[in-house]
Amino acid sequence: MTQKRSEYPRPQFQRENWLNLNGEWNFIFDDENEGMKKGWYRQGLPEDALKIQVPFAYQCEESGIHQTAFHDVVWYERELLIPDDWKGKELYLHFGAVDYRSWVYVNGSLVGFHEGGHTSFSHNITPYLNESNKNELVVRVEDPSEDETIPRGKQYWKEQSESIFYTRTTGIWQTVWLEPVDPVHFASIRWTPDIDIGSIGMELEVSRLIENLKAEVRISFGGKVIIHDLLSLQDTYTKRSIDLRSRFTERSNIHGAGWYWSPESPNLFDVELVLRDEASTLDVITSYFGMRKISIENGKILLNNKPYYQKLVLDQGYFPTGLLTAPSDEDLKNDILLAKEMGFNGARKHQKIEDPRYFYHADKLGFLVWGEMANAAEYSEQAAARLTLEWIEAVKRDYSHPSLVVWVPLNESWGISRVGRDAQQQAHSLAMYHLTKSLDATRPVLSNEGWEHTQSDICGIHNYQSPAEMEKAYATTESAITTEPANRTIYAQGFSYQNEPIMITEYGGIAYKVSAEGWGYSSVESGEELVEEYRKVTEALMTSSVVQGFCYTQLTDVEQEINGLLTYDRKPKCELSKIKSVNDQG
């Protein structure tokens, strides 16, 4: 079978030399949790093990197994064949995402553990390799199916999908790859644009410091090198501000788009970083960034210091044959292209920390993205800790993407169902807001998207009422913040509106049944009716002087939920140009 998901999985920190480990692995369910006792981590899986196609979860069709029953412990195994020319290098084993806890073994030795089902992690496996090229890799995964305090997003804790919850994802669901590096190598890069002074902030980390270590930085725009610097590294961490505007007006957006990034002009700067000592080149990475600013002033959202009306679509990021995993890189790109074809300038990725390749395509194509944590269903102190640790990893991983403009750590009081009045859960909401601001001072943060806000930079409201009701609700600021959609107050007890921009971040949900049975928030009988109902409810928002942007529910059908503008397999339910003509009015 042809290997799927063969593209480099980390496009903002890319090396030329790497080995994709996607493809066929041995796989087994361990329902009795006896694999450790039987020594599978040391001697490999039994001969009757199944075959699975990584990086697809066993629950989906692409995996080759396609079972949806609960199996809380699973094992993976494959052989590692190390190329001869990698000898003398340190080898890092990377996992895009494994849901939920993973233990990684090489040649019978534990090389590392990770908890968190949506974020990337790596292990240095060099000390555990044999002298020969042949090595054994085993991964044990635990995914407690019914634990509602685990951050799981839309993955259901029951065996059969229903309502707004979908089939679970267990185990490896993003690319696994191996990468050789010199013991002295680039460890991370972070980009922070500052359009007000015309500079890009670069934070560079290397694995260790040696004498005469230098980093060569080449920044290009439009194929032309505009910066070529050589930095003498005096520490493992280096921070620089690099002037890009210089004295050129056309590089700003005073007249036209300039060199700034936006959905209309997705300008990107290409970067090559070379690490070297006196004798040799130690590491080379390619990266990119965009000069973009998202800010809030006087109750309005600004992009690059100008008011910007966000026309978003809710995107669950599920696929019929792959569930959370897109069957191909093109599928991720195509979702963005379809949304743009309908006149949307961004998406709210709902209850999913998305694949980095999605952000890459959003960066390249010009598409705003709201980054949202997959929440737990119930609150506990352990749930708060789990959410916090995984969220820190997500913010760190995706910080440098220009397309990512808003952070959403909590949604609709999920996992904090008593936040309206409960001081402890309010403290958690506030903590997530301030934690996110402490990790990223450049983006707005919502404390609890939808309603029962504590402190938030944007007042995001979820409302599925009729067009007439929406027009009335958002006629004034006072009516907007006192209307109680779903019988929820917009602000939690003790908190109030502080002139935040008001956005209707879920609305519509109009169901049109093409072939599948299912449900939505309202229903129509044809594509023409779908367009007309979309027009009426969206115009009710666009004509409001109070509303600063919207997010329509939703891009595609997902399983039993049939309120997408597209079917689950991405077929249009109506003429997309007609949806665009409505959106273009805003």
Side-chain angles (χ1 to χ4, degrees), residues 38-56:
K38 294 178 178 179
W40 291 349
Y41 67 96
R42 184 177 57 251
Q43 62 195 38
L45 304 191
E47 291 184 359
D48 61 350
L50 303 169
K51 303 294 184 183
I52 191 169
Q53 291 295 319
V54 168
F56 299 100

Side-chain angles (χ1 to χ4, degrees), residues 129-144:
L129 296 173
N130 293 327
E131 290 187 8
S132 69
N133 288 11
K134 184 178 177 182
N135 295 268
E136 293 298 320
L137 169 62
V138 174
V139 181
R140 179 182 181 272
V141 177
E142 286 184 359
D143 184 27

Side-chain angles (χ1 to χ4, degrees), residues 449-500:
E449 168 56 333
W451 47 61
E452 295 177 332
H453 291 273
T454 51
Q455 184 172 348
S456 280
D457 296 326
I458 296 171
C459 177
I461 300 172
H462 298 176
N463 191 336
Y464 289 95
Q465 291 179 321
S466 69
E469 291 170 313
M470 297 287 266
E471 191 171 341
K472 180 180 178 181
Y474 304 110
T476 66
T477 299
E478 179 65 21
S479 61
I481 61 174
T482 55
T483 299
E484 297 186 3
N487 297 315
R488 301 289 191 114
T489 59
I490 303 303
Y491 286 86
Q493 188 177 63
F495 298 86
S496 61
Y497 179 64
Q498 301 296 320
N499 200 36
E500 301 91 355

